[in-house]
Amino acid sequence: MFENLVENIQGYKKPLAFGIARVDFGQVNRDKVLQATYPIINWNENFGSAAVFIRSLFENDIEVDFNSSEFVADVTKEFVETALDLFGKDLVEEAEGDKHKNIQVLKILKEIFDDEVMDNYRICFLFEDEAPQSVEAVYLKLYALSQRKVPLRSLNLNGAFGILTNCAWVGNVPIELDYLRENEIELKLKDAYPEVEYVDKFPRFLSHVIPDDNTRILDTAKVRMGAQLAAGTTVMPGASYINFNAGTEGPVMVEGRISSSAVVKEGADVGGGASILGVLSGTNGNPITIGRNTLLGANSVTGIPLGDGCIVDAGIAVLEGTKIWISEDEFNKIKEVNPEWSAEYKEYFKGLELAGLNGVHYRFDTTKGKMVAFRSRREVKLNEELH
Amino acid sequence: MFENLVENIQGYKKPLAFGIARVDFGQVNRDKVLQATYPIINWNENFGSAAVFIRSLFENDIEVDFNSSEFVADVTKEFVETALDLFGKDLVEEAEGDKHKNIQVLKILKEIFDDEVMDNYRICFLFEDEAPQSVEAVYLKLYALSQRKVPLRSLNLNGAFGILTNCAWVGNVPIELDYLRENEIELKLKDAYPEVEYVDKFPRFLSHVIPDDNTRILDTAKVRMGAQLAAGTTVMPGASYINFNAGTEGPVMVEGRISSSAVVKEGADVGGGASILGVLSGTNGNPITIGRNTLLGANSVTGIPLGDGCIVDAGIAVLEGTKIWISEDEFNKIKEVNPEWSAEYKEYFKGLELAGLNGVHYRFDTTKGKMVAFRSRREVKLNEELH
Amino acid sequence: MFENLVENIQGYKKPLAFGIARVDFGQVNRDKVLQATYPIINWNENFGSAAVFIRSLFENDIEVDFNSSEFVADVTKEFVETALDLFGKDLVEEAEGDKHKNIQVLKILKEIFDDEVMDNYRICFLFEDEAPQSVEAVYLKLYALSQRKVPLRSLNLNGAFGILTNCAWVGNVPIELDYLRENEIELKLKDAYPEVEYVDKFPRFLSHVIPDDNTRILDTAKVRMGAQLAAGTTVMPGASYINFNAGTEGPVMVEGRISSSAVVKEGADVGGGASILGVLSGTNGNPITIGRNTLLGANSVTGIPLGDGCIVDAGIAVLEGTKIWISEDEFNKIKEVNPEWSAEYKEYFKGLELAGLNGVHYRFDTTKGKMVAFRSRREVKLNEELH
């Protein structure tokens, strides 16, 4: 239906992703974008809406560069009106509830612009998943991860840290540190110094994403924007933390740390204070996946990927170089549940040699002073009631 | 004095507990109660006030069901006026400061209702401590725990998780996730998206409870409503956490996790990152008590109950199945401070066999590779000054 | 230029430190100072401004006691006007941006006082670094630490805990617990109960201090006022915490706990959940310094000072009494990078005997059940990109 819209637009191609965002500008650098808030993002979908948006830009003399990996333009009142016209009265009327969310965005913008013309709305297209060039593109990718439009570790976020500005965050609002510096005396004396809740380049997950009904995050500080939480995940407020580009793929109890690049699967339990190392903090660049129904005991440290049904006992560290003793009998049992594992038996294995195996119980034998591994006897079940 | 009030009320019995609460309703489901805030609760006390309240309901044609374990009714303007009349002018005048707090509640309600008739006040009675059936009853029990009206682990909270709604909390206000979903586009575009501080079924302790003067909670996220903190307890903001139905019975320094059902006694010290396991996370259903002046070292894990004057060294895990070596000499010394302990000597004990013993020091011997236990030489003293 | 101002002021001496603060009073005890907010502090500097301020007090009949270690006076409209006159029109005009910040303070105060006379501004002088006697003096010292005017551990803070009031903090505002108690019924029923974010004697670092552009604090609860963070420090939101009089002297990744009195040097990495013990929590009063480029692994515990380029493996505890095996070969290698270390070789060393050594790698040998130390092979580098 929308294809004729783009027939005469040179070089047109379907975007990988797009969305309209409200942006926050700097208080000192008033044209610097500090944050982009997307009411809805489109990822490999809704190409008709994309065509309308691109046509509307075209009709308002904005030329989209389809050869670059991303494109950002201001959203003007004219753009909004053109786009609403192109969608047509019927669709615009239907756009409510779960229907036609991109049109709903336009309707609200029309309402806003009818009241006052604003310059803090942007439309962003990604044509390729290359290193992001703009704040809008970084946020579009963080949304894609956090709204589970794409798998963890699947996007190119190279250089994102260089694009984002380190800000003082007051509620959902980023404030430039220079603004605080320049106004410190007045703000403090007049009792108007803001309550700074954190200082970071990234916002928090809960400032942008609505979790599922059965997902709990007991402290907003614990989950960075760009993290991904499957439905049924609970993040407790003790020592836990989920970094961007890390998270869960099923219901998981999280009381420990899921470092950037780490992924935890359905039914696993990250015990209180447990640490899953990230690619640049001890794993030599190997991202860690924790398998289904695997239990990481309280204050354990895991530096290798683990398969399904594993147990790491409380308080122990299983790292790439950790030497682990296995009896021949248990070695054979472990092989049974890991048919593709081709290792020959030996007494001691390094952690890295056991990477990804299913059904292994890691324990420190407090009588012999040895780290040992054996076939885990039980599937670990997550208890819903207690937490 | 109040007994004649209830003479002709059929089946009258004294409630176990009661209180008047302000409730928060859902934004989408406008008759769903999300939270109940009690200015004061009565637990096995103030039966005269209970009689007045029940009489006032009776006179306003509300029949209390004394056979059910709990009863909840709306607080109306008429109810408030009847109750104030029944208390009488003298008591009402006296009701100030620490006197007659239930009457103070009525006086404020009268003031509110004179201004505007509201439907968000409820009175809740518990007649038996059975599984709660309403949000109001769950909160009444959480208040009883957190205001130290009852001991930890003494109340029936079965099914509480099913009764409470998982909400986004903005300050002290619960917001339905569906409300955010339905209004996401408008809220985000109009820069009105709320600052969600956490998503949980339970609120935070500090939203409902005023701690003692010498109690410190350095981060509200660290203590869930339903936790109990004795005067003099300090909760630091690192890895600490106190769940509902868990807490302290005396001044305790808390820098670690006190899981649901765990209780820590006077003068104990829960070191930085120390974990006390809960009933469904490693203790096979045995709730853990930590005795007086016992020290849990930094990053230790404790999966058994401990008596008084114990030490668990930093970084070690003492679980039910942990094998622990004890010399015969130290075994005898431990017996001296545990006269009721009937064990026979053997070299290795499992953690569970040492459960609840006083004066035991748990250490990992880094020369022999053994977990060992011996009589602890010192009483652990909590230092007030440093924290 | 300002010296003649003080010629006839008896006993005049240059203050060690001074500043003008806005103070918060109690809600119940209305003359009790709960907090002092300094727009700027002066530490061993700006003696001309000090002379003007003292002269202005003198001309307004306030006698400064130069023999006491500190002095606090109200800032009145007259004081402000006298001080502005003494500075003179030229300086006052110049006072903008980075210039003459003390005069900027006066200009804003004049603006405030022209609008309304206020009694909540104070000037505080320290003449000696003795135990502080006032809330204003405690805060002046906390500012000096947090704004890096003085080294960590260099100030006398004895008795500070006794001077500060334990408050409920709502944003940057301290509220007396008694105020909440006295108004609980009304506040709760009228839906005006404040959102208490923490209860403590100390405020948070970010309520008073603006970090450097490349410094990140992902959760304000994690850093107490009086902590010191060098530029480039990152504090993650998992299990981390930096207490007052503790912190970093260079860019450091902080994912663990830096207890009061602990100092971490440039390029070090405090891994997730790592604990550095404080003077009264396991170190027998020896404050701990962690050297340059030293790595504390996830969930490790360090109870001794460490030199540069050390590694403490994840999950282990190196305490004063920990027995650590060293081979003769590695002993000699460690001596090479610690030329001043005069120890003789023996198989086992206690942790305390290795205090402060450079280039030591601490590991638990999971095949022999021994804690071992050897020459660390690599310098630890902090990765900027990942976090």
Side-chain angles (χ1 to χ4, degrees):
Chain A
M1 145 179 200
F2 292 105
E3 286 179 9
N4 62 324
L5 287 173
V6 295
E7 264 173 10
N8 63 341
I9 295 180
Q10 205 180 359
Y12 177 80
K13 73 179 170 198
K14 288 181 180 176
L16 170 65
F18 65 97
I20 289 175
R22 182 178 57 72
V23 298
D24 292 296
F25 294 115
Q27 293 76 23
V28 175
N29 301 292
R30 303 198 60 99
D31 54 355
K32 184 186 242 179
V33 173
L34 302 181
Q35 181 179 223
T37 299
Y38 286 92
I40 172 177
I41 70 157
N42 306 272
W43 197 275
N44 229 330
E45 62 192 329
N46 301 326
F47 299 109
S49 294
V52 168
F53 289 157
I54 286 169
R55 179 88 210 166
S56 303
L57 290 171
F58 181 81
E59 295 199 2
N60 286 285
D61 299 324
I62 310 295
E63 206 170 319
V64 175
D65 178 2
F66 295 101
N67 294 317
S68 107
S69 58
E70 65 183 67
F71 181 80
V72 178
D74 282 334
V75 168
T76 62
K77 189 174 184 182
E78 293 70 32
F79 166 87
V80 169
E81 285 167 351
T82 309
L84 282 168
D85 281 352
L86 289 170
F87 277 114
K89 206 178 145 194
D90 290 354
L91 284 183
V92 170
E93 265 177 25
E94 271 173 44
E96 274 187 3
D98 284 336
K99 291 187 90 170
H100 313 315
K101 295 222 165 187
N102 285 306
I103 304 179
Q104 290 183 45
V105 168
L106 294 174
K107 285 165 78 174
I108 305 273
L109 284 173
K110 177 155 170 46
E111 201 183 311
I112 291 168
F113 287 155
D114 281 349
D115 200 48
E116 183 186 359
V117 174
M118 307 284 283
D119 66 348
N120 59 332
Y121 298 92
R122 297 276 169 87
I123 187 162
C124 177
F125 299 92
L126 299 186
F127 296 106
E128 308 286 345
D129 178 24
E130 299 198 353
Q133 307 297 322
S134 63
V135 172
E136 292 86 347
V138 171
Y139 271 79
L140 191 46
K141 291 185 172 189
L142 296 177
Y143 267 84
L145 288 164
S146 288
Q147 294 186 338
R148 307 197 303 249
K149 299 269 186 182
V150 298
L152 287 165
R153 301 181 197 142
S154 69
L155 295 184
N156 184 340
L157 283 162
N158 292 344
F161 272 88
I163 289 167
L164 302 179
T165 301
N166 195 37
C167 295
W169 294 82
V170 178
N172 297 334
V173 181
I175 296 185
E176 286 176 301
L177 293 167
D178 270 342
Y179 172 80
L180 293 180
R181 281 183 204 115
E182 291 176 13
N183 296 280
E184 181 178 8
I185 294 174
E186 183 161 4
L187 291 170
K188 282 186 167 176
L189 287 173
K190 293 189 174 170
D191 200 3
Y193 194 81
E195 187 197 355
V196 177
E197 291 162 57
Y198 60 109
V199 175
D200 192 16
K201 295 188 166 210
F202 285 70
R204 291 169 172 172
F205 180 90
L206 284 177
S207 292
H208 290 273
V209 181
I210 303 168
D212 291 84
D213 281 335
N214 58 350
T215 299
R216 284 172 277 164
I217 298 173
L218 273 73
D219 180 359
T220 179
K222 296 298 194 182
V223 186
R224 221 179 196 176
M225 182 61 183
Q228 186 172 112
L229 276 72
T233 293
T234 295
V235 183
M236 299 294 281
S240 65
Y241 179 54
I242 306 182
N243 210 331
F244 79 100
N245 204 21
T248 66
E249 292 186 345
V252 173
M253 173 59 63
V254 182
E255 305 198 58
R257 288 171 293 281
I258 304 181
S259 303
S260 189
S261 77
V263 174
V264 182
K265 291 192 171 174
E266 181 184 345
D269 194 327
V270 182
S275 268
I276 304 170
L277 302 186
V279 280
L280 293 179
S281 52
T283 72
N284 291 320
N286 303 312
I288 292 184
T289 300
I290 302 298
R292 280 181 289 272
N293 298 317
T294 282
L295 166 67
L296 308 181
N299 288 343
S300 64
V301 179
T302 300
I304 59 167
L306 298 178
D308 296 346
C310 292
I311 299 176
V312 177
D313 271 5
I316 71 171
V318 178
L319 307 175
E320 292 195 350
T322 305
K323 287 171 197 143
I324 300 162
W325 184 83
I326 307 182
S327 76
E328 191 155 4
D329 190 35
E330 294 294 331
F331 172 81
N332 290 325
K333 289 183 192 163
I334 292 170
K335 278 208 119 173
E336 271 173 37
V337 287
N338 294 283
E340 300 187 2
W341 190 40
S342 61
E344 296 293 309
Y345 179 67
K346 54 183 178 177
E347 276 197 282
Y348 285 98
F349 291 81
K350 286 203 168 187
L352 193 54
E353 295 174 288
L354 307 177
L357 295 182
N358 300 310
V360 181
H361 190 141
Y362 295 90
R363 167 166 289 172
F364 186 78
D365 181 330
T366 60
T367 66
K368 295 189 185 132
K370 281 182 170 29
M371 186 75 80
V372 301
F374 51 93
R375 174 71 179 89
S376 73
R377 277 173 225 161
R378 53 182 178 121
E379 294 303 313
V380 178
K381 279 177 199 148
L382 184 65
N383 188 287
E384 287 286 305
E385 176 69 9
L386 190 69
H387 293 281
Chain B
M1 146 180 199
F2 291 104
E3 286 179 8
N4 62 325
L5 288 172
V6 295
E7 263 172 14
N8 63 340
I9 295 180
Q10 206 181 357
Y12 178 79
K13 72 179 172 198
K14 289 180 178 175
L16 170 64
F18 66 98
I20 290 174
R22 182 178 56 72
V23 298
D24 293 296
F25 293 114
Q27 293 75 24
V28 175
N29 301 291
R30 302 198 59 99
D31 55 356
K32 184 186 240 180
V33 173
L34 302 181
Q35 179 179 225
T37 300
Y38 286 93
I40 171 176
I41 70 155
N42 305 271
W43 197 274
N44 230 329
E45 62 192 329
N46 302 326
F47 298 109
S49 294
V52 168
F53 289 156
I54 286 170
R55 180 88 211 166
S56 304
L57 289 170
F58 181 82
E59 295 198 3
N60 287 285
D61 299 324
I62 309 294
E63 206 170 318
V64 174
D65 178 0
F66 296 101
N67 294 317
S68 108
S69 58
E70 64 184 68
F71 181 80
V72 178
D74 282 334
V75 169
T76 62
K77 188 174 184 184
E78 293 70 31
F79 166 87
V80 169
E81 285 167 353
T82 310
L84 282 168
D85 280 352
L86 289 170
F87 276 115
K89 203 178 148 194
D90 290 353
L91 283 182
V92 171
E93 264 177 24
E94 270 173 46
E96 276 187 0
D98 285 335
K99 291 187 91 170
H100 312 316
K101 295 222 165 186
N102 285 305
I103 305 178
Q104 291 183 44
V105 168
L106 294 173
K107 286 165 77 173
I108 306 273
L109 285 172
K110 179 157 169 43
E111 200 183 313
I112 292 169
F113 287 155
D114 280 349
D115 201 47
E116 184 186 359
V117 174
M118 307 283 283
D119 66 349
N120 60 331
Y121 298 92
R122 296 275 170 87
I123 186 161
C124 177
F125 298 92
L126 301 185
F127 295 106
E128 306 289 343
D129 178 25
E130 298 198 353
Q133 307 297 322
S134 63
V135 172
E136 292 85 348
V138 171
Y139 272 80
L140 191 45
K141 290 185 173 189
L142 296 177
Y143 267 85
L145 288 164
S146 289
Q147 293 187 339
R148 307 198 302 252
K149 298 268 185 182
V150 298
L152 287 165
R153 302 182 197 140
S154 69
L155 294 184
N156 185 338
L157 284 161
N158 292 344
F161 272 87
I163 290 167
L164 302 179
T165 301
N166 195 37
C167 297
W169 295 83
V170 178
N172 297 334
V173 181
I175 295 184
E176 285 176 300
L177 293 166
D178 270 342
Y179 172 82
L180 293 179
R181 282 184 202 112
E182 291 176 12
N183 297 280
E184 181 177 9
I185 294 174
E186 182 161 4
L187 291 170
K188 282 186 168 175
L189 287 173
K190 293 190 174 170
D191 199 4
Y193 193 82
E195 187 197 355
V196 177
E197 291 161 57
Y198 59 110
V199 175
D200 193 15
K201 295 188 165 211
F202 285 71
R204 291 169 172 173
F205 180 91
L206 283 177
S207 292
H208 290 274
V209 181
I210 304 167
D212 292 85
D213 282 334
N214 58 349
T215 298
R216 282 171 279 164
I217 298 172
L218 274 72
D219 181 358
T220 178
K222 296 297 193 181
V223 186
R224 221 178 196 179
M225 182 60 181
Q228 185 172 113
L229 277 72
T233 293
T234 295
V235 183
M236 299 294 281
S240 66
Y241 178 53
I242 306 182
N243 210 331
F244 79 100
N245 204 22
T248 66
E249 292 187 344
V252 173
M253 172 60 63
V254 182
E255 305 198 58
R257 289 170 293 281
I258 304 180
S259 302
S260 190
S261 78
V263 174
V264 182
K265 291 193 172 173
E266 180 185 347
D269 194 327
V270 182
S275 268
I276 304 170
L277 302 187
V279 281
L280 293 179
S281 53
T283 73
N284 291 318
N286 303 311
I288 292 184
T289 301
I290 302 298
R292 281 182 288 272
N293 298 317
T294 282
L295 167 68
L296 308 181
N299 288 344
S300 64
V301 180
T302 299
I304 60 166
L306 299 177
D308 297 345
C310 291
I311 300 176
V312 177
D313 272 5
I316 70 172
V318 178
L319 308 174
E320 292 195 350
T322 306
K323 286 172 197 143
I324 301 162
W325 184 84
I326 307 182
S327 76
E328 192 156 4
D329 189 35
E330 293 295 331
F331 171 81
N332 289 325
K333 287 184 193 162
I334 291 169
K335 278 209 118 173
E336 271 173 38
V337 286
N338 294 283
E340 298 185 3
W341 191 40
S342 61
E344 295 293 309
Y345 180 67
K346 54 183 178 179
E347 276 196 283
Y348 285 98
F349 292 80
K350 286 204 169 185
L352 192 55
E353 296 175 287
L354 307 178
L357 295 183
N358 300 309
V360 181
H361 190 140
Y362 295 90
R363 166 166 290 174
F364 186 78
D365 181 329
T366 60
T367 66
K368 295 187 185 131
K370 279 181 172 31
M371 186 76 79
V372 300
F374 51 91
R375 174 72 180 90
S376 75
R377 278 174 223 159
R378 53 181 178 124
E379 295 303 314
V380 179
K381 279 177 199 147
L382 183 65
N383 189 288
E384 288 285 305
E385 176 70 11
L386 192 67
H387 293 282
Chain C
M1 145 178 198
F2 292 104
E3 285 178 8
N4 62 325
L5 287 173
V6 295
E7 263 173 13
N8 63 341
I9 295 181
Q10 205 179 359
Y12 178 79
K13 72 178 171 199
K14 289 181 178 175
L16 170 65
F18 66 97
I20 289 175
R22 181 179 56 72
V23 297
D24 292 296
F25 293 114
Q27 293 75 24
V28 175
N29 301 292
R30 302 197 61 98
D31 54 354
K32 184 186 240 180
V33 173
L34 301 181
Q35 179 179 223
T37 299
Y38 286 91
I40 172 178
I41 70 157
N42 305 271
W43 197 275
N44 230 330
E45 61 192 329
N46 300 327
F47 299 109
S49 294
V52 167
F53 288 156
I54 286 170
R55 180 87 210 169
S56 303
L57 289 172
F58 181 80
E59 295 198 3
N60 287 283
D61 299 326
I62 309 295
E63 206 169 319
V64 175
D65 178 1
F66 295 101
N67 294 318
S68 107
S69 57
E70 65 185 67
F71 181 81
V72 178
D74 282 334
V75 168
T76 61
K77 188 173 184 184
E78 294 70 33
F79 166 88
V80 170
E81 285 168 351
T82 310
L84 283 169
D85 280 352
L86 290 170
F87 276 115
K89 205 178 146 193
D90 289 355
L91 283 183
V92 171
E93 266 178 24
E94 271 174 44
E96 275 186 3
D98 285 336
K99 290 186 91 169
H100 314 315
K101 295 222 164 187
N102 285 305
I103 305 179
Q104 291 184 45
V105 168
L106 294 173
K107 285 166 78 173
I108 305 273
L109 284 173
K110 179 155 169 43
E111 201 182 312
I112 291 168
F113 286 155
D114 280 349
D115 201 47
E116 183 186 357
V117 174
M118 307 283 283
D119 67 347
N120 60 333
Y121 298 93
R122 295 276 170 87
I123 186 162
C124 176
F125 298 91
L126 300 186
F127 295 107
E128 308 287 344
D129 177 25
E130 299 198 353
Q133 307 297 320
S134 63
V135 172
E136 292 87 346
V138 170
Y139 272 80
L140 191 45
K141 290 185 173 187
L142 296 177
Y143 267 86
L145 288 164
S146 289
Q147 293 187 339
R148 307 198 303 250
K149 298 271 186 180
V150 298
L152 286 165
R153 301 182 197 140
S154 69
L155 294 184
N156 184 340
L157 283 161
N158 293 343
F161 272 88
I163 289 168
L164 301 179
T165 300
N166 196 37
C167 296
W169 294 82
V170 178
N172 298 334
V173 180
I175 296 186
E176 285 176 301
L177 293 167
D178 270 342
Y179 172 81
L180 294 179
R181 281 184 203 113
E182 291 176 13
N183 297 280
E184 181 177 9
I185 294 174
E186 182 162 3
L187 291 170
K188 282 187 168 175
L189 287 173
K190 294 190 173 170
D191 199 4
Y193 193 81
E195 187 199 355
V196 176
E197 291 162 56
Y198 59 109
V199 175
D200 192 16
K201 296 188 164 210
F202 285 70
R204 290 168 171 174
F205 179 90
L206 284 177
S207 293
H208 290 274
V209 180
I210 304 167
D212 292 84
D213 281 334
N214 58 350
T215 298
R216 283 172 279 164
I217 297 172
L218 274 72
D219 180 358
T220 178
K222 296 298 195 182
V223 186
R224 221 179 197 177
M225 182 62 183
Q228 186 172 112
L229 277 72
T233 293
T234 295
V235 183
M236 299 296 279
S240 65
Y241 179 53
I242 308 183
N243 210 331
F244 79 98
N245 204 23
T248 66
E249 292 187 345
V252 173
M253 173 59 63
V254 182
E255 304 199 58
R257 289 170 292 281
I258 305 181
S259 303
S260 188
S261 78
V263 175
V264 182
K265 292 193 170 172
E266 182 183 345
D269 194 327
V270 182
S275 268
I276 305 171
L277 301 187
V279 280
L280 294 179
S281 53
T283 73
N284 292 318
N286 303 312
I288 292 184
T289 300
I290 302 298
R292 280 182 288 273
N293 298 318
T294 281
L295 166 67
L296 308 181
N299 289 342
S300 63
V301 180
T302 300
I304 59 166
L306 298 176
D308 296 346
C310 292
I311 299 176
V312 177
D313 272 6
I316 71 171
V318 178
L319 307 175
E320 292 195 350
T322 305
K323 285 171 198 145
I324 301 161
W325 184 83
I326 307 181
S327 76
E328 191 155 5
D329 190 36
E330 293 295 331
F331 172 82
N332 289 325
K333 288 184 192 162
I334 292 169
K335 278 209 117 172
E336 271 174 37
V337 285
N338 293 283
E340 298 187 3
W341 191 39
S342 61
E344 297 293 309
Y345 179 67
K346 53 183 177 178
E347 275 196 284
Y348 285 99
F349 291 81
K350 287 204 168 186
L352 193 55
E353 295 176 287
L354 307 178
L357 295 183
N358 300 310
V360 181
H361 190 140
Y362 295 90
R363 167 166 288 173
F364 185 78
D365 181 329
T366 60
T367 66
K368 296 188 186 133
K370 279 182 171 30
M371 185 76 78
V372 301
F374 51 91
R375 176 70 179 91
S376 75
R377 278 175 223 159
R378 54 185 176 121
E379 294 303 314
V380 179
K381 277 176 200 151
L382 183 65
N383 189 287
E384 289 285 306
E385 176 71 8
L386 191 67
H387 293 281

